[in-house]
């Protein structure tokens, strides 16, 4: 097919990224006298509507006929254009993850910047004591106005912005209003650059007031070595910081961040979804009270997210703390990236642009020629392998930082022939009783919410299945309902078996609610708190629960993985784990890797403040190498076993994978599409390994059939070459009633 090029004299052509599912940019003209720069947002006509797009490049010619090309309607200059560097990063992501460029570029913008309304840039305000505030006799402020006292005292040390004030107390805005009205505090526009005070040198008073770096902790020799290795690196370097729980990874981050702030750089700190609590943000604010820190995560409203993004783009914000979406934040002075809990699955986006924020962060550090630190107590096997092979530099922390803190004792309770009380062994019950009498906290961990995973008829064997899914309905006894955890379908618990009419229906298996009620029956005096997605659904519920735990108002915690991550409960000395065995015979080859990480994390909750901790794991396979490695706190031993298994089986990190997923209401259409995709792949005769078409792990969900096709290759480059020719063939296949997607480096199967 020959293409005709139309040259339009004196009419510059611009190529615009638009959020449409097509892998192209769109050509427009710009009227004379209007200037538009690469990276600027523009409003253009598209079909019958107007769309917001991003100007990507200029061109001298277009394939469009002169009468068909339309002009740009409006150029938005309310915020600075996206930098070439950021656009390059987004081009890479579009290319690598085989997602349309326009959709990739637009998805990286906060929602406010995607709308056609200009963004009003709020001036960040600073608050300081007024002259009457400085002369104020504090006894004039009523004693019970605790927060007002707190704010006045803090402002005596220097001016603060809104976020820093909020870090003092959640009710700071109300107290601030009163202080402003009284005329003791005044606000001013934020214009000065942050004060950068040097870290006290050895020999100087370590407690000397350092505004930028609160409470300089003395580092252990291991920690110091890790800090030195990173700060002495010039240009790009990827470091895997492998440190057991409690070994003080955060202190290393703080020291590295301080060094970067001192040199005037910006820091991107990525954390998993679950960990982004105000506590974490407040922690870093308290360590860097003078640095401008912004957070970016899905919990922020559109306005706050846009403002924080713009503060990062302007260079005003020095620290950006965020979840995976923050990896696309524009940072003109970016000098360090930290990915905490790098193994966490929440760094991978599961729809749209299916990117791994950790991997994109590594690309970004390389592009920018700066250091990146991946921290974890249980690194992903991919990162561990890269550290072993020398692609990353390994930094190891083998000791807990607090001198008194010891690693918990991990023991297995063999449940093979044991009699269990609602899934709980006698040994665990005895250990719980002992903690109750000594006034210490315990955690019982079970990764299943609800009362029981399924309801069964004792006469005919009927099981409560979901009518829309291949899954089972979970019994929630609290409100007497059966719920599907896959599609949300729910119904009342039947009085009799729908199949045979028998009235004796029994719950099978255990969930958090069942453990909670069984323990309450066994220990009527104990204060038991259940923490799972059901009990924390209401906004602020989890916050309040954390406070209860910290205030020692709880004896026994019953919870799911929500409790496994990163929380510090000083009085918690016992962790009991129920039913972890499912992952040992899962069809997902990553299941045992995830189980180890989860067990190590959960075990890390026990005994962190000088009290020795104990972990009891109930399993039918106490001799499994996974549990042996857990008992010996030997991640390396376990990683070596897993790597050998993966190498023998030809799984990642020894190969690179792409998963083609399809779903639709007609089973035959789903399978036809995948079979034709497979045939197209085979006919390309490229050096990739093509598996068969198989049902997804959950083959039917919400009345849709799900199936998939896996392709893998030992070379990332060859797999990408294959994808570049295969992807257009997939686009050409008929698939009107289907949804399909390519997932590069998939984590879930
Ligand atoms: Zn029955
Ligand atoms: Zn369902």
């Amino acid at each position: 097919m020959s293409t005709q090029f139309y040259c339009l004299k004196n009419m510059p052509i611009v190529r615009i990224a638009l959020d449409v599912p097509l892998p192209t940019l769109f050509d427009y003209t710009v009227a004379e006298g209007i200037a538009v720069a690469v990276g600027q947002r523009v409003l253009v006509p598209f079909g019958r509507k107007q769309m917001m797009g991003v100007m990507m490049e200029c061109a001298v010619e277009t394939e469009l006929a002169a009468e068909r090309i339309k002009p740009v309607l409006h150029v938005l200059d309310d915020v600075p254009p996206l930098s070439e560097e950021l656009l390059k990063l987004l081009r890479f992501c579009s290319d690598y993850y085989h997602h349309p460029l326009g959709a990739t570029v637009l998805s990286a913008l906060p929602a406010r910047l995607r709308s056609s309304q200009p963004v009003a840039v709020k001036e960040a305000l600073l608050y300081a004591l007024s002259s009457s505030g400085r002369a104020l006799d504090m006894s004039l402020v009523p004693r019970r106005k605790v927060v007002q006292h707190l704010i006045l005292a803090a402002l005596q040390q220097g001016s603060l912005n809104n976020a820093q004030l909020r870090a003092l107390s959640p009710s700071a805005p109300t107290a601030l209003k009163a202080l402003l009205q009284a005329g003791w505090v005044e606000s001013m526009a934020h214009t000065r650059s942050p004060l950068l005070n040097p870290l006290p040198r050895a020999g100087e008073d370590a407690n000397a007031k350092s505004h930028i770096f609160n409470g300089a902790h003395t580092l252990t020799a291991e920690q110091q070595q890790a800090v030195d290795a990173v700060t002495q690196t010039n240009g790009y370097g990827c470091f895997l910081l492998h440190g057991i729980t409690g070994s003080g990874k955060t202190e290393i981050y703080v020291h590295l961040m301080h060094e970067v702030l001192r040199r005037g750089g910006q820091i991107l700190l990525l954390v998993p979804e679950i960990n982004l609590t105000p506590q974490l943000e407040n922690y870093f604010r308290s360590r860097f009270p003078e640095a401008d820190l912004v957070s970016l995560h899905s919990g922020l409203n559109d306005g706050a997210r846009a403002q924080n993004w713009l503060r990062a783009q302007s260079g005003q914000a020095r620290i950006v703390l965020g979840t995976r979406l923050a990896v696309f934040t524009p940072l003109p002075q970016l000098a360090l990236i930290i990915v905490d809990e790098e193994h966490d699955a929440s760094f991978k986006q599961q729809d749209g642009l299916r990117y791994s924020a950790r991997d994109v962060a590594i690309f970004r550090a390389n592009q920018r020629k700066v250091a990146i630190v991946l921290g974890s107590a249980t690194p992903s096997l991919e990162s561990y392998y890269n550290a072993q092979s020398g692609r990353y530099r390994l930094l190891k922390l083998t000791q807990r930082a607090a001198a008194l803190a010891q690693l918990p004792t991990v023991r297995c309770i063999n449940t093979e022939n044991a009699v269990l009380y609602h899934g709980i062994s006698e040994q665990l019950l005895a250990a719980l009783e002992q903690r109750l009498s000594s006034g210490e906290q315990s955690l019982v961990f079970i990764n299943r919410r609800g009362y029981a995973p399924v309801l069964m008829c004792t006469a005919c064997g009927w099981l409560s299945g979901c009518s829309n899914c291949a899954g089972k309905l979970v019994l929630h006894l609290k409100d007497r309902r059966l719920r599907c955890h896959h599609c949300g379908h729910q119904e009342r618990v039947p009085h009799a078996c729908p199949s045979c009419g028998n009235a004796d229906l029994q719950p099978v298996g255990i969930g958090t609610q069942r453990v909670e009620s069984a323990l309450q029956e066994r220990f009527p005096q104990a204060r038991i708190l259940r923490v799972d997605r059901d009990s924390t659904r209401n906004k602020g519920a989890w916050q309040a629960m954390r406070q209860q735990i910290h205030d020692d108002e709880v004896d026994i915690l019953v919870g799911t993985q929500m409790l496994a991550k990163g929380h510090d409960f000083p009085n918690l000395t016992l962790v009991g784990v129920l039913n972890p065995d499912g992952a040992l015979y899962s069809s997902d080859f990553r299941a045992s890797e995830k189980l180890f990480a989860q067990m190590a994390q959960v075990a890390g909750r026990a005994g962190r403040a000088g009290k020795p901790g104990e972990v009891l794991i109930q399993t039918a396979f106490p001799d499994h190498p996974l549990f042996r490695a857990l008992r010996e706190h030997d991640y390396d031993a376990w990683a070596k076993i897993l790597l050998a298994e993966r190498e023998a089986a030809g799984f990642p990190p020894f190969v690179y994978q792409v998963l083609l997923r399809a779903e639709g209401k007609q089973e035959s259409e789903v399978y036809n599409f995948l079979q034709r995709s497979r045939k197209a792949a085979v006919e390309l005769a490229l050096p990739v390994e093509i598996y068969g078409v198989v049902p997804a792990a959950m083959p039917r969900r919400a009345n849709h059939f799900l199936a998939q096709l896996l392709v893998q290759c030992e070379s990332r480059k060859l797999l990408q070459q294959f994808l570049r020719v295969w992807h257009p063939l997939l686009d050409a296949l008929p698939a009107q009633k289907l949804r399909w997607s390519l997932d590069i480096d998939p984590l879930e199967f």
Side-chain angles (χ1 to χ4, degrees):
M1 201 174 70
S2 76
T3 323
Q4 224 178 337
F5 287 96
Y6 290 85
C7 294
L8 303 171
K9 265 181 209 149
N10 303 326
M11 290 273 273
I13 291 148
V14 287
R15 304 227 151 107
I16 306 296
L18 293 174
D19 189 7
V20 290
L22 292 169
T24 53
L25 297 175
F26 297 87
D27 291 0
Y28 289 88
T29 58
V30 182
E32 238 174 297
I34 293 181
V36 54
V38 170
Q40 236 169 350
R41 280 143 60 244
V42 294
L43 197 64
V44 294
F46 189 80
R48 283 192 202 142
K49 44 183 190 175
Q50 299 183 350
M51 284 185 91
M52 176 63 71
V54 174
M55 147 75 161
M56 297 297 285
E57 58 196 37
C58 295
V60 285
E61 51 191 17
T62 178
E63 294 175 30
L64 283 177
E67 64 273 16
R68 290 199 54 207
I69 190 158
K70 292 175 185 165
V72 167
L73 298 173
H74 184 55
V75 180
L76 280 98
D77 55 2
D78 53 341
V79 307
L82 301 180
S83 67
E84 290 273 9
E85 184 184 321
L86 185 64
L87 293 178
K88 202 176 145 201
L89 178 73
L90 294 168
R91 279 183 192 275
F92 160 78
C93 288
S94 162
D95 233 43
Y96 183 77
Y97 291 109
H98 292 262
H99 195 64
L101 180 57
T104 304
V105 170
L106 272 297
S107 73
L109 292 179
R112 272 287 158 84
L113 275 77
R114 269 179 269 149
S115 89
S116 50
Q117 298 302 315
V119 183
V121 183
K122 256 193 248 154
E123 189 95 50
L125 290 177
L126 268 185
Y127 297 91
L129 293 179
S130 63
S131 50
S132 63
R134 280 193 296 275
L136 178 68
D137 175 1
M138 291 296 268
S139 63
L140 289 175
V141 184
R143 256 242 191 89
R144 60 193 165 79
K145 303 281 186 194
V146 181
V147 182
Q148 292 192 17
H149 276 276
L150 211 61
I151 292 176
L152 289 170
L155 290 179
Q156 272 164 7
Q157 310 296 317
S159 50
L160 297 173
N161 64 25
N162 262 315
Q164 290 163 329
L165 285 169
R166 263 199 310 277
L168 293 172
S169 160
S171 58
T174 322
L176 179 67
K177 216 167 162 187
L179 293 171
L180 284 164
Q181 271 166 5
W184 295 328
V185 172
E186 55 192 13
S187 63
M188 53 194 176
H190 192 313
T191 44
R192 49 166 212 160
S193 60
L195 265 174
L196 302 178
N197 289 0
L199 189 65
R201 292 179 185 287
E204 284 178 33
D205 180 10
N207 291 321
K209 219 181 240 163
S210 168
H211 289 293
I212 189 83
F213 187 63
N214 251 357
H217 298 203
T218 313
L219 296 181
T220 64
E222 275 183 340
Q223 285 175 319
Q224 190 62 53
Q225 277 169 14
V227 169
D228 292 345
V230 180
T231 50
Q232 285 160 12
T233 299
N234 274 323
Y236 168 75
C238 183
F239 296 86
L240 176 62
L241 178 61
H242 177 202
I244 54 172
T245 51
S247 60
K249 289 189 288 294
T250 310
E251 198 55 36
I252 292 177
Y253 302 158
V254 167
H255 277 249
L256 291 173
M257 289 161 76
H258 172 262
E259 188 56 30
V260 169
L261 289 174
R262 207 174 57 79
R263 295 182 196 169
Q266 284 177 299
I267 297 138
L268 176 62
L269 172 55
L270 298 176
V271 296
E273 204 84 71
I274 192 92
N275 259 348
L276 202 88
T277 59
Q279 277 75 14
L280 192 66
E281 196 178 326
N282 289 349
Y283 176 77
F284 282 102
R285 279 193 203 290
S286 72
R287 296 304 298 275
F288 299 102
E290 285 286 302
D292 198 330
L293 181 154
V294 297
S295 62
L296 281 170
H297 53 89
S298 52
L300 294 176
N301 65 37
D302 286 352
R305 205 167 135 195
Q307 294 298 339
N308 289 354
W309 191 92
L310 288 168
R311 267 164 68 189
Q313 189 196 32
S314 72
Q316 191 185 30
R318 311 309 292 175
I319 303 172
V320 171
L321 170 67
T323 53
R324 63 171 179 264
L325 57 88
V327 76
F328 299 115
T329 314
L331 293 155
Q333 281 112 39
L334 177 65
L336 172 70
I337 305 179
I338 297 168
V339 184
D340 191 30
E341 307 291 345
E342 65 89 25
H343 64 277
D344 197 282
S346 75
F347 285 121
K348 174 90 174 163
Q349 168 115 336
Q350 298 295 353
D351 55 9
L353 175 68
R354 292 171 166 77
Y355 65 100
S356 153
R358 177 198 62 205
D359 296 351
V360 173
I362 294 169
F363 178 84
R364 191 168 181 183
N366 198 343
Q367 175 192 29
R368 178 85 197 189
K369 304 275 172 283
V370 297
I372 177 168
V373 177
L374 313 176
S376 177
T378 51
S380 66
L381 222 47
E382 279 83 358
S383 297
Y384 184 77
Y385 177 65
N386 281 329
Q388 295 294 314
S389 65
R391 281 189 61 189
Y392 302 167
R393 274 185 64 189
L394 182 64
L395 306 170
K396 265 190 101 154
L397 301 177
T398 55
Q399 293 146 16
R400 280 194 154 183
L404 285 170
Q406 296 164 338
L407 284 169
T409 315
V410 181
R411 287 194 289 128
C412 287
I413 297 169
N414 191 341
T415 53
E416 203 186 3
N417 298 309
V419 180
L420 301 176
Y421 169 73
H422 294 276
I424 312 165
S425 63
E426 276 307 319
Q427 290 102 306
L428 181 53
L429 287 169
L432 287 167
E433 187 156 28
Q434 196 245 313
R435 292 320 189 280
L436 279 173
S437 60
S438 62
E440 290 164 6
Q441 284 174 335
S442 308
L443 158 63
V444 177
F445 180 84
I446 172 156
N447 225 348
R448 195 178 276 275
R449 61 196 171 91
Y451 186 85
V454 66
L455 193 64
M456 190 182 82
C457 168
T458 53
C460 75
W462 168 88
L463 294 172
S464 56
C466 176
S467 49
N468 308 325
C469 300
K472 298 282 178 280
L473 292 175
V474 177
L475 175 63
H476 286 248
L477 214 50
K478 285 256 147 93
D479 48 2
R480 299 206 57 81
R481 295 190 87 79
L482 294 170
R483 284 212 179 88
C484 175
H485 289 184
H486 300 286
C487 74
H489 168 80
Q490 49 173 300
E491 51 192 66
R492 293 186 63 81
V493 173
H495 295 293
C497 171
S499 174
C500 75
N502 167 34
D504 187 22
L505 299 177
Q506 287 296 328
V508 180
I510 51 168
T512 47
Q513 289 181 4
R514 185 170 186 178
V515 173
E516 179 193 19
S517 61
L519 288 174
Q520 197 66 79
E521 206 176 293
R522 179 75 173 235
F523 305 116
Q525 79 286 12
R527 296 163 302 174
I528 299 174
L529 180 68
R530 174 168 55 87
V531 182
D532 56 23
R533 227 182 322 146
D534 298 310
S535 72
T536 57
R537 191 151 286 154
N538 294 332
K539 204 172 179 231
W542 175 216
Q543 289 290 95
M545 288 182 182
R546 290 175 59 107
Q547 201 54 50
Q548 268 181 286
I549 302 167
H550 272 279
D551 294 347
D552 252 333
E553 290 167 10
V554 178
D555 299 312
I556 302 175
L557 282 157
V558 176
T560 56
Q561 60 202 7
M562 285 191 68
L563 276 174
K565 293 181 182 180
H567 312 294
D568 226 346
F569 303 129
N571 197 28
L572 184 79
T573 60
L574 172 69
V575 171
V577 179
L578 311 181
N579 257 353
D581 292 346
L584 297 177
Y585 35 83
S586 164
S587 60
D588 174 5
F589 69 87
R590 281 199 177 84
S592 61
E593 178 187 348
K594 288 180 200 154
L595 177 63
F596 186 92
Q598 196 174 58
M599 292 294 97
Q601 241 167 355
V602 123
R605 301 304 113 221
R608 285 178 65 122
K611 290 179 190 161
E614 185 179 20
V615 180
L616 299 175
I617 302 174
Q618 292 189 179
T619 170
F621 309 96
D623 295 325
H624 192 284
L626 185 150
F627 294 120
R628 199 179 316 141
L630 273 174
R631 284 196 296 267
E632 288 159 13
H633 303 283
D634 194 349
Y635 168 87
D636 291 270
W638 174 238
K640 284 194 178 94
I641 293 170
L642 275 187
L643 276 179
E645 277 177 19
R646 298 271 184 94
E647 187 166 22
F651 280 142
F654 298 93
V655 297
Y656 298 91
Q657 299 181 319
V658 55
L659 192 65
L660 173 63
R661 292 195 186 88
E663 63 169 282
K665 287 200 167 171
Q666 292 294 323
E667 192 171 16
S668 58
E669 280 175 29
V670 172
Y671 283 84
N672 279 342
F673 171 81
L674 289 172
Q675 289 300 355
R676 293 173 78 168
S677 305
R678 186 175 189 281
K679 189 162 168 275
V682 172
E683 282 168 0
L684 288 173
L686 287 168
V688 293
E689 203 179 339
I690 302 159
Y691 282 75
V693 173
V694 293
M698 174 59 72
R700 196 162 73 92
R701 186 169 60 200
N703 278 322
H704 281 69
F705 291 90
L706 289 82
Q708 59 200 31
L709 168 63
L710 179 69
V711 179
Q712 64 180 38
C713 180
E714 281 173 29
S715 150
R716 187 171 247 163
K717 210 170 133 195
L718 290 177
L719 185 64
Q720 283 292 332
Q721 281 174 9
F722 161 78
L723 280 166
R724 272 194 280 278
V725 282
W726 191 43
H727 191 184
L729 300 176
L730 300 181
D731 280 328
L733 286 176
Q736 286 87 352
K737 290 176 189 160
L738 295 176
R739 283 205 343 210
W740 63 268
S741 62
L742 285 171
D743 190 353
I744 319 295
D745 306 326
L747 277 188
E748 279 170 19
F749 288 84

